[in-house]
Amino acid sequence: MEREDFRAALRHPQTRRIFRRLLASSNVMGPSLAVDGQNTAYNEGLRAVGLWLALKIETSAPGEVAALMRESGDDLMAHNLSHREK
């Protein structure tokens, strides 16, 4: 049932945007190390949630995490271009 829920969610552009924001906010692809141990622990907690989400997405729909990351890059590029034109 969970796989079907994730697959259904991934079919909607709004949910894909939310997943992209969660993955970015959790810094799933980046380091957790901070200046002090408390911030490192906080960052690791965020990252753990992101890794959990990435695992659930990838288990349900292989290749979708990479697709979400590409979409995030495309969104950033479009955002940067729109601000240059102003």
Side-chain angles (χ1 to χ4, degrees), residues 27 31-44:
N27 198 26
S32 298
L33 189 60
V35 176
D36 63 56
Q38 187 174 1
N39 285 332
T40 297
Y42 176 81
N43 292 343
E44 268 301 302

Side-chain angles (χ1 to χ4, degrees), residues 70-86:
R70 276 191 307 276
E71 291 168 17
S72 291
D74 293 345
D75 286 350
L76 180 60
M77 193 178 339
H79 173 76
N80 290 340
L81 285 173
S82 72
H83 282 283
R84 267 192 231 155
E85 294 171 356
K86 291 181 181 181

Side-chain angles (χ1 to χ4, degrees), residues 15-73:
T15 309
R16 291 181 75 82
R17 280 194 299 272
I18 289 169
F19 284 166
R20 289 195 311 262
R21 287 182 193 131
L22 288 170
L23 291 170
S25 296
S26 68
N27 198 26
V28 73
M29 301 304 270
S32 298
L33 189 60
V35 176
D36 63 56
Q38 187 174 1
N39 285 332
T40 297
Y42 176 81
N43 292 343
E44 268 301 302
L46 280 176
R47 190 167 178 268
V49 172
L51 290 171
W52 173 87
L53 178 60
L55 176 66
K56 294 298 183 176
I57 291 170
E58 197 62 23
T59 300
S60 301
E64 283 300 313
V65 172
L68 289 167
M69 297 295 190
R70 276 191 307 276
E71 291 168 17
S72 291

